[in-house]
Amino acid sequence: MAVWNFSAGPSKLPTEVLEQAAAEMLDWHGSGMSVMEMSHRGAEFTQICDEAEDDLRTLMAIPDDYAVMFMQGGATAENAIIPMNLLETRPAKTADYVLTGSWSVKSYKEAQRFGQINVAATSKSVREFEGKTYGEFCWVPDVNEWKVNPEASYLHICTNETIGGVEMFEMPNMANLGVADVPLALDMSSHILARPFDVTQAGLIYAGAQKNAGPAGVTIVIVKRDLLGKAMPYCPSAFDFANVAAERSRFNTPPTYSIYICGLVFKWLLKNGGLTAMAARNQAKADCLYNALDASDFYHNMVHPAYRSQMNVPFILRDESLNSAFLEGAKQRGLLALKGHKSVGGMRASIYNAMPLEGVQALVDYLKEFERSHG
């Protein structure tokens, strides 16, 4: 029986990547060492780390005026590291946040520990669109409603809310908002590498790798170099972007094995057509699942169609007393990790790059089968 892992993170990795890692576990390229055993300053790991950075630059077309770093602490730690590094890049020492779900709210609350943090826009309310009502954090405020301080050091956006399944497909034109000098700081944790993205739209991008780029333990940070060098005096040296960038992620001992696996994922992506090919695959998978949900009144996705995530698909059963039976039946069919986040309940299918269309189709077949037997 095939097993399909729909976990939101740590999530499914490409089988080919896992097989290569297994083959190299005891001896990486004739070195006589596992990657786990290597000095982070030795020639072998230096090659691994530099190749990972170079391949990521190729995949995302990252220009030389942006630093690429592999850091520790996860995206949650970046919620503190970012204000410590960026708040003092402009005299006002303030930042704006757009709140579209659990993760952007968490980022906002953490940043408040370090300075004046304002809400530029929020979808924490019920709103009607074309006669249909959508609940809190099930939609995205229209950009024309955002109130961005032109003196802000940055504007923070979580571009894909993993829990709520809300995704932004276009970034705001800051010049049109009259705030051209305010850089975007984007949490792209759950959809980085899912499709091509113009890095130059942002001043900073960060992403926990464990959703779409690799295993837990490493966070990808991409930051424009002219934002470096103004960290707060009490920012730990290991979290000062200028230090980490200068040492190409090896200022201190980085999460070496996690970086190695990320590097294998990057090579897998390049081998399989890069981000353009991934975009087509991800669109097909999302269409397959959303079409099945929309065709039924037994299941319901709560998100406004314009903002439905291609990576994280939450849904509820009309009769939630059937939740346990649904999950047990799914497990028996090799469909794993479909239980929704504890804060919202229901179900959630995360269909990242490594999930093939075959796995999504297996879920759709089960949705139909369960409805026939319980509807």
Side-chain angles (χ1 to χ4, degrees):
M1 178 181 66
V3 174
W4 305 108
N5 177 9
F6 294 93
S7 173
S11 61
K12 178 175 173 56
L13 286 163
T15 300
E16 186 177 324
V17 166
L18 294 175
E19 289 173 344
Q20 182 174 349
E24 296 177 345
M25 175 59 74
L26 298 180
D27 184 359
W28 182 83
H29 293 201
S31 66
M33 295 180 287
S34 169
V35 175
M36 292 184 184
E37 304 170 310
M38 292 177 179
S39 165
H40 67 292
R41 302 198 188 282
E44 294 84 2
F45 183 74
T46 295
Q47 177 184 338
I48 290 169
C49 191
D50 289 352
E51 281 188 13
E53 178 185 330
D54 293 344
D55 286 342
L56 182 60
R57 286 184 179 276
T58 299
L59 279 167
M60 297 186 69
I62 302 171
D64 290 339
D65 60 340
Y66 282 75
V68 173
M69 298 173 282
F70 300 112
M71 298 185 68
Q72 300 183 67
T76 298
E78 290 298 325
N79 290 335
I81 295 168
I82 288 168
M84 283 194 288
N85 275 273
L86 299 190
L87 272 178
E88 297 193 355
T89 55
R90 302 189 75 188
K93 301 180 182 180
T94 184
D96 289 357
Y97 280 62
V98 176
L99 308 184
T100 52
S102 298
W103 288 110
S104 50
V105 169
K106 190 171 185 176
S107 300
Y108 165 70
K109 289 180 177 179
E110 183 70 19
Q112 287 181 302
R113 296 160 56 91
F114 302 98
Q116 181 184 341
I117 309 298
N118 307 307
V119 176
T122 181
S123 56
K124 187 176 171 55
S125 63
V126 176
R127 180 170 287 194
E128 187 173 292
F129 296 89
E130 300 178 348
K132 294 185 177 180
T133 301
Y134 294 89
E136 294 182 357
F137 296 139
C138 290
W139 50 281
V140 175
D142 188 280
V143 172
N144 295 321
E145 300 174 7
W146 297 11
K147 304 205 179 295
V148 183
N149 179 0
E151 302 303 318
S153 295
Y154 62 92
L155 172 65
H156 181 280
I157 304 169
C158 179
T159 50
N160 189 94
E161 291 279 0
T162 317
I163 293 174
V166 173
E167 183 170 6
M168 291 183 62
F169 294 92
E170 293 184 8
M171 295 302 102
N173 185 311
M174 302 300 278
N176 289 348
L177 290 176
V179 290
D181 293 334
V182 179
L184 291 175
L186 307 179
D187 177 359
M188 298 185 70
S189 291
S190 47
H191 70 166
I192 195 169
L193 302 175
R195 63 176 182 270
F197 180 79
D198 181 4
V199 171
T200 64
Q201 293 182 92
L204 179 144
I205 294 167
Y206 68 105
Q210 70 273 13
K211 301 177 185 299
N212 215 25
V218 61
T219 304
I220 297 166
V221 179
I222 304 164
V223 60
K224 200 166 185 182
R225 294 189 192 276
D226 62 11
L227 295 174
L228 302 176
K230 295 187 179 180
M232 293 176 173
Y234 53 80
C235 177
S237 58
F239 292 153
D240 185 328
F241 288 154
N243 292 338
V244 182
E247 299 295 332
R248 295 193 71 179
S249 303
R250 299 183 292 276
F251 175 77
N252 64 325
T253 306
T256 54
Y257 199 77
S258 294
I259 293 171
Y260 157 70
I261 298 293
C262 283
L264 296 184
V265 172
F266 301 157
K267 291 184 185 300
W268 176 81
L269 288 167
L270 289 167
K271 177 182 176 182
N272 285 278
L275 303 192
T276 299
M278 287 301 117
R281 287 175 43 155
N282 290 329
Q283 183 70 61
K285 290 184 295 182
D287 287 347
C288 178
L289 183 49
Y290 282 118
N291 287 342
L293 294 172
D294 290 343
S296 167
D297 63 2
F298 190 83
Y299 306 101
H300 175 59
N301 171 265
M302 304 76 72
V303 180
H304 188 294
Y307 308 111
R308 285 175 167 179
S309 170
Q310 290 188 347
M311 298 286 99
N312 311 103
V313 183
F315 60 95
I316 57 175
L317 278 64
R318 181 182 60 208
D319 181 356
E320 295 196 84
S321 69
L322 295 172
N323 283 0
S324 295
F326 178 88
L327 290 170
E328 180 58 33
K331 184 177 180 181
Q332 290 175 4
R333 289 158 181 77
L335 305 169
L336 307 182
L338 285 168
K339 187 176 181 179
H341 191 273
K342 61 183 179 181
S343 65
V344 296
M347 309 298 162
R348 176 178 53 177
S350 293
I351 50 176
Y352 300 121
N353 285 346
M355 174 63 69
L357 181 59
E358 181 185 0
V360 177
Q361 188 60 59
L363 173 57
V364 167
D365 290 344
Y366 174 62
L367 291 174
K368 294 176 180 177
E369 176 190 330
F370 190 83
E371 181 177 1
R372 283 194 299 269
S373 59
H374 293 82

